[in-house]
Amino acid sequence: MTDRYCVFGHPIGHSKSPAIHAAFAAETGQQMEYVAIEAPLDDFAGAWRAFVSKGGRGANVTVPFKQDAWQLCDQLSDQARRAGAVNTLVLHEDGTTWGDTTDGVGLVADLRRNDVMLEAARILVLGAGGAVRGVLEPLLAEKPRQIKVVNRTAEKAIELAQDFAALGAIEGAGLDGIDGQYDLVINGTSASLAGDLPPLPDSLFADGGVAYDMMYGAEPTVFLAWAQRQGARGIDGLGMLVGQAAASFELWRGVRPAVDGVLDELRSQLQ
């Protein structure tokens, strides 16, 4: 029987994951099926169990179920345990469920692909929600000079930074705590989806600075358009999406697919 995988979300009809994983399977010669499933908001665990009962071997998890997935796992990777969220579920042969988060791996891989230097960099991260929590550990592993997490609610950013303080130089603050210039500014908020821009100083970017938005679209997001007007180089989150998918695929199938061809195809479809 063909191994079955899926992505859970609510809503999920917009997901590009089935197309991405179909391309990965064709590239690597893997026999597998991958579909999108809209899980009920009040019973994610039931949706996972139902999928497993029909031959499911693993899943990706997107909004709003990453914390629900974390809670149902029998085992967690160290990274997922610290992040408090899971975007990849793996069913082991003994029937137990293992969870990991590959969002940060996908982000760092995309930054490297775009020749963004992280070691000794001064990094500003906007937002303190689950999207940011899932990427801080891989970012800190690159040994930046500093990561500052800022959020409209300062206490949330401060608490988040404290959770990761043992891993490197990180601090949290409110939006009024932005000081100096940064080599890399990452927008981890959903403001771009609503066409909003947090109040940011015009002098935010160091020379050669980079702006990265976890969101993506056919046109630059509001944040990227603003950053480019300030002289920064802008990168959207499409490569992060494909990168996290490749890391999940490797966890399931034991082979890491190449991402460039899939990324180019998705980009051409957007445009």
Side-chain angles (χ1 to χ4, degrees):
M1 184 172 66
T2 300
D3 290 340
R4 301 187 69 218
Y5 300 88
C6 76
V7 56
F8 288 110
H10 191 113
I12 198 60
H14 65 286
S15 177
K16 299 185 183 304
S17 293
I20 292 171
H21 285 281
F24 287 163
E27 174 199 326
T28 58
Q30 297 290 305
Q31 297 298 312
M32 55 181 280
E33 174 188 288
Y34 188 108
V35 297
I37 296 177
E38 185 170 290
L41 292 174
D42 59 352
D43 191 18
F44 174 77
W48 167 245
R49 288 194 297 268
F51 181 64
V52 168
S53 72
K54 297 175 182 177
R57 301 295 305 166
N60 286 129
V61 183
T62 188
V63 177
F65 297 120
K66 292 184 180 182
Q67 289 182 316
D68 297 274
W70 188 87
Q71 291 171 348
L72 72 75
C73 288
D74 301 298
Q75 300 104 27
L76 294 162
S77 70
D78 291 342
Q79 190 166 291
R81 185 176 294 106
R82 186 174 283 109
V86 158
N87 82 328
T88 305
L89 296 172
V90 180
L91 184 70
H92 284 164
E93 293 297 332
D94 62 3
T96 59
T97 301
W98 184 79
D100 200 357
T101 176
T102 64
D103 288 332
V105 173
L107 171 62
V108 169
D110 196 39
L111 289 167
R112 288 176 177 163
R113 187 181 306 109
N114 284 280
D115 298 318
V116 179
M117 295 295 296
L118 297 174
E119 185 175 358
R122 195 161 189 246
I123 301 173
L124 180 70
V125 181
L126 308 176
V132 170
R133 178 173 283 273
V135 304
L136 288 178
E137 184 170 344
L139 283 172
L140 285 164
E142 297 297 309
K143 303 189 185 311
R145 189 174 86 184
Q146 178 202 35
I147 293 179
K148 176 169 275 191
V149 180
V150 296
N151 192 59
R152 292 185 187 275
T153 304
E155 291 77 11
K156 191 173 182 181
I158 293 168
E159 181 180 342
L160 179 59
Q162 290 171 342
D163 289 344
F164 289 84
L167 300 181
I170 184 171
E171 63 177 296
L175 291 174
D176 58 358
I178 298 173
D179 59 328
Q181 295 182 317
Y182 295 85
D183 303 296
L184 171 64
V185 180
I186 299 172
N187 182 23
T189 75
S190 58
S192 291
L193 295 177
D196 294 333
L197 179 70
L200 300 169
D202 289 343
S203 58
L204 189 59
F205 295 95
D207 289 343
V210 175
Y212 192 100
D213 199 328
M214 292 186 187
M215 302 296 113
Y216 63 89
E219 301 295 331
T221 65
V222 171
F223 168 70
L224 290 182
W226 171 83
Q228 288 165 348
R229 290 195 298 272
Q230 312 310 313
R233 176 161 64 103
I235 305 168
D236 71 14
L238 188 62
M240 176 180 171
L241 172 70
V242 179
Q244 64 81 24
S248 295
F249 190 93
E250 183 177 20
L251 289 173
W252 298 324
R253 310 302 295 180
V255 58
R256 186 67 168 260
V259 303
D260 289 346
V262 176
L263 183 55
D264 290 344
E265 177 62 24
L266 288 177
R267 183 72 67 191
S268 67
Q269 290 175 10
L270 281 178
Q271 297 172 348

